Amino acid sequence: VWTGEVTAYRFNPETLRTEAEPIWKASEALEQVVANGERKVYTLDDRSNAFEITERNTPEQWFDDLTPDQQAALTLPGESEERVVARLAYLLGDQSQEEVNGGPFRNRESLLGDIINSSAVYVGNGDLDWGFNNLSNAFGGASSSYSQYLVDSETRQKMVYVGANDGMLHGFDEATGAE
Protein backbone atom coordinates (compact mmCIF):
# COMPACT_ATOMS: atom_id res chain seq x y z
CA VAL A 1 0.00 0.00 0.00
CA TRP A 2 1.39 3.35 -1.02
CA THR A 3 0.59 6.39 1.06
CA GLY A 4 1.71 9.98 1.15
CA GLU A 5 2.27 12.41 3.96
CA VAL A 6 3.30 15.99 4.53
CA THR A 7 3.84 17.03 8.12
CA ALA A 8 4.54 20.38 9.71
CA TYR A 9 6.69 20.65 12.81
CA ARG A 10 7.38 23.61 15.04
CA PHE A 11 11.05 24.60 15.05
CA ASN A 12 12.63 25.48 18.39
CA PRO A 13 15.30 28.16 17.77
CA GLU A 14 16.83 27.59 21.21
CA THR A 15 17.53 23.89 20.71
CA LEU A 16 17.82 24.11 16.91
CA ARG A 17 15.52 21.10 16.66
CA THR A 18 11.97 20.44 15.63
CA GLU A 19 9.46 19.48 18.27
CA ALA A 20 8.50 15.78 18.45
CA GLU A 21 4.79 16.23 17.76
CA PRO A 22 3.69 17.61 14.39
CA ILE A 23 1.54 20.72 14.19
CA TRP A 24 -0.47 19.02 11.46
CA LYS A 25 -0.45 16.06 9.10
CA ALA A 26 -1.78 16.65 5.60
CA SER A 27 -3.49 13.26 5.36
CA GLU A 28 -5.49 13.92 8.53
CA ALA A 29 -6.36 17.49 7.50
CA LEU A 30 -7.47 16.24 4.05
CA GLU A 31 -9.73 13.57 5.55
CA GLN A 32 -11.36 16.24 7.75
CA VAL A 33 -11.94 18.59 4.80
CA VAL A 34 -13.53 15.78 2.76
CA ALA A 35 -15.68 14.64 5.71
CA ASN A 36 -16.95 18.20 6.16
CA GLY A 37 -17.74 18.54 2.43
CA GLU A 38 -15.29 21.44 2.16
CA ARG A 39 -12.82 20.06 -0.36
CA LYS A 40 -12.13 22.28 -3.34
CA VAL A 41 -10.66 20.70 -6.47
CA TYR A 42 -9.84 22.74 -9.56
CA THR A 43 -9.17 21.86 -13.18
CA LEU A 44 -8.88 23.74 -16.46
CA ASP A 45 -11.43 24.19 -19.22
CA ASP A 46 -10.63 24.12 -22.97
CA ARG A 47 -9.33 27.70 -22.79
CA SER A 48 -7.04 27.04 -19.80
CA ASN A 49 -9.35 28.86 -17.41
CA ALA A 50 -9.35 27.35 -13.92
CA PHE A 51 -12.66 26.37 -12.38
CA GLU A 52 -13.71 24.52 -9.26
CA ILE A 53 -15.32 21.19 -10.13
CA THR A 54 -16.44 20.57 -6.54
CA GLU A 55 -18.44 23.81 -6.45
CA ARG A 56 -21.62 22.01 -7.42
CA ASN A 57 -23.35 19.46 -5.22
CA THR A 58 -23.13 16.04 -6.86
CA PRO A 59 -20.55 13.94 -8.71
CA GLU A 60 -22.92 13.88 -11.71
CA GLN A 61 -22.77 17.68 -11.84
CA TRP A 62 -18.98 17.57 -11.42
CA PHE A 63 -18.75 15.22 -14.40
CA ASP A 64 -21.05 17.42 -16.52
CA ASP A 65 -18.77 20.42 -15.84
CA LEU A 66 -15.69 18.68 -17.27
CA THR A 67 -14.63 19.19 -20.87
CA PRO A 68 -15.33 16.36 -23.35
CA ASP A 69 -11.60 15.51 -23.37
CA GLN A 70 -11.54 15.28 -19.57
CA GLN A 71 -14.65 13.10 -19.59
CA ALA A 72 -13.05 10.83 -22.20
CA ALA A 73 -9.85 10.54 -20.13
CA LEU A 74 -11.91 9.21 -17.20
CA THR A 75 -13.87 6.73 -19.33
CA LEU A 76 -12.77 3.20 -20.23
CA PRO A 77 -14.18 1.60 -23.42
CA GLY A 78 -17.72 0.32 -22.94
CA GLU A 79 -18.06 1.83 -19.50
CA SER A 80 -21.30 3.34 -18.24
CA GLU A 81 -21.48 7.00 -17.26
CA GLU A 82 -22.55 5.85 -13.78
CA ARG A 83 -19.24 3.99 -13.34
CA VAL A 84 -17.25 6.98 -14.64
CA VAL A 85 -19.06 9.32 -12.23
CA ALA A 86 -18.28 6.87 -9.39
CA ARG A 87 -14.60 6.95 -10.42
CA LEU A 88 -14.58 10.74 -10.38
CA ALA A 89 -16.15 10.77 -6.91
CA TYR A 90 -13.51 8.23 -5.80
CA LEU A 91 -10.69 10.41 -7.14
CA LEU A 92 -12.11 13.36 -5.22
CA GLY A 93 -12.21 11.45 -1.92
CA ASP A 94 -15.42 9.38 -1.81
CA GLN A 95 -14.59 6.02 -0.21
CA SER A 96 -18.06 4.45 -0.56
CA GLN A 97 -17.06 2.57 -3.75
CA GLU A 98 -13.87 1.01 -2.39
CA GLU A 99 -13.58 -2.80 -2.36
CA VAL A 100 -14.08 -2.95 1.42
CA ASN A 101 -17.54 -1.41 0.84
CA GLY A 102 -18.39 -3.76 -2.04
CA GLY A 103 -17.27 -1.34 -4.74
CA PRO A 104 -14.88 -1.77 -7.67
CA PHE A 105 -12.12 0.61 -6.55
CA ARG A 106 -9.06 -0.26 -4.49
CA ASN A 107 -9.01 0.44 -0.78
CA ARG A 108 -7.02 3.43 0.43
CA GLU A 109 -5.47 3.92 3.82
CA SER A 110 -5.32 7.65 3.12
CA LEU A 111 -6.95 10.04 0.66
CA LEU A 112 -3.57 11.64 0.00
CA GLY A 113 -1.71 9.83 -2.76
CA ASP A 114 1.86 8.71 -2.44
CA ILE A 115 4.46 11.42 -2.88
CA ILE A 116 7.41 10.20 -4.92
CA ASN A 117 9.96 12.43 -6.68
CA SER A 118 8.07 15.52 -5.55
CA SER A 119 9.24 18.04 -2.99
CA ALA A 120 6.97 20.19 -0.89
CA VAL A 121 7.32 23.90 -1.70
CA TYR A 122 6.41 26.71 0.68
CA VAL A 123 4.80 29.78 -0.88
CA GLY A 124 4.40 32.70 1.47
CA ASN A 125 3.86 36.37 1.03
CA GLY A 126 6.15 38.57 -1.06
CA ASP A 127 8.49 39.58 1.73
CA LEU A 128 11.48 37.97 0.00
CA ASP A 129 12.38 40.03 -3.05
CA TRP A 130 16.03 38.87 -2.94
CA GLY A 131 17.26 42.47 -3.19
CA PHE A 132 15.68 42.88 -6.61
CA ASN A 133 13.88 45.98 -5.39
CA ASN A 134 17.25 47.66 -4.70
CA LEU A 135 18.37 47.55 -8.34
CA SER A 136 17.73 50.50 -10.55
CA ASN A 137 15.56 50.05 -13.64
CA ALA A 138 18.65 50.69 -15.80
CA PHE A 139 20.07 47.35 -14.62
CA GLY A 140 16.86 45.35 -14.98
CA GLY A 141 15.76 46.20 -11.45
CA ALA A 142 12.38 46.50 -9.90
CA SER A 143 9.70 48.05 -12.03
CA SER A 144 6.57 49.64 -10.66
CA SER A 145 4.67 46.47 -11.60
CA TYR A 146 7.10 44.37 -9.54
CA SER A 147 6.77 46.76 -6.61
CA GLN A 148 3.00 46.45 -6.92
CA TYR A 149 3.34 42.66 -7.02
CA LEU A 150 5.20 42.77 -3.69
CA VAL A 151 2.47 44.91 -2.16
CA ASP A 152 -0.29 42.68 -3.54
CA SER A 153 1.39 39.49 -2.31
CA GLU A 154 1.70 40.68 1.29
CA THR A 155 -1.76 39.29 2.04
CA ARG A 156 -1.38 36.08 0.02
CA GLN A 157 -2.31 32.97 1.99
CA LYS A 158 0.77 31.03 3.08
CA MET A 159 0.66 27.55 1.55
CA VAL A 160 2.66 24.35 1.12
CA TYR A 161 2.31 22.72 -2.33
CA VAL A 162 3.26 19.16 -3.31
CA GLY A 163 2.51 16.89 -6.25
CA ALA A 164 1.24 13.38 -5.52
CA ASN A 165 0.69 10.23 -7.53
CA ASP A 166 -3.06 10.68 -7.15
CA GLY A 167 -2.79 13.04 -10.12
CA MET A 168 -3.15 16.20 -8.10
CA LEU A 169 -1.11 19.17 -7.05
CA HIS A 170 -2.16 19.59 -3.42
CA GLY A 171 -2.08 22.92 -1.62
CA PHE A 172 -2.11 22.91 2.19
CA ASP A 173 -2.64 25.90 4.44
CA GLU A 174 0.65 26.60 6.21
CA ALA A 175 -0.95 27.04 9.63
CA THR A 176 -3.59 24.28 9.66
CA GLY A 177 -2.72 21.80 6.90
CA ALA A 178 -6.21 22.17 5.42
CA GLU A 179 -6.23 21.52 1.67
Side-chain angles (χ1 to χ4, degrees):
V1 175
W2 295 344
T3 61
E5 190 63 272
V6 176
T7 52
Y9 292 91
R10 192 170 324 282
F11 178 73
N12 185 328
E14 293 176 14
T15 64
L16 301 179
R17 296 182 185 271
T18 57
E19 295 181 4
E21 291 297 315
I23 300 169
W24 53 260
K25 292 182 177 181
S27 62
E28 293 172 2
L30 177 58
E31 301 229 357
Q32 187 66 41
V33 167
V34 170
N36 292 341
E38 298 169 348
R39 188 171 197 193
K40 294 182 179 185
V41 177
Y42 297 86
T43 190
L44 300 176
D45 64 17
D46 289 334
R47 296 195 170 126
S48 297
N49 297 310
F51 70 95
E52 181 185 346
I53 62 173
T54 49
E55 186 174 42
R56 295 183 38 182
N57 294 329
T58 68
E60 291 82 10
Q61 290 172 323
W62 301 341
F63 184 75
D64 290 342
D65 287 345
L66 296 176
T67 67
D69 287 343
Q70 291 167 327
Q71 290 176 353
L74 289 169
T75 306
L76 297 175
E79 198 169 43
S80 71
E81 184 174 318
E82 179 182 15
R83 175 73 174 258
V84 178
V85 167
R87 179 179 298 109
L88 177 60
Y90 172 83
L91 292 172
L92 299 179
D94 180 358
Q95 294 182 288
S96 67
Q97 292 294 311
E98 290 184 5
E99 292 168 341
V100 70
N101 297 318
F105 305 120
R106 72 173 176 84
N107 298 323
R108 297 174 283 193
E109 290 184 15
S110 170
L111 297 180
L112 182 59
D114 56 311
I115 299 169
I116 298 175
N117 298 326
S118 179
S119 298
V121 175
Y122 172 77
V123 177
N125 54 27
D127 60 352
L128 297 175
D129 77 358
W130 306 103
F132 190 65
N133 236 353
N134 296 328
L135 297 173
S136 72
N137 281 336
F139 295 104
S143 66
S144 62
S145 61
Y146 181 72
S147 297
Q148 187 60 50
Y149 159 77
L150 290 176
V151 169
D152 293 344
S153 67
E154 286 176 3
T155 58
R156 179 174 50 211
Q157 184 176 2
K158 297 175 181 178
M159 300 287 291
V160 176
Y161 293 97
V162 67
N165 278 359
D166 54 14
M168 295 191 191
L169 172 65
H170 295 273
F172 301 102
D173 181 272
E174 173 250 4
T176 66
E179 187 184 50

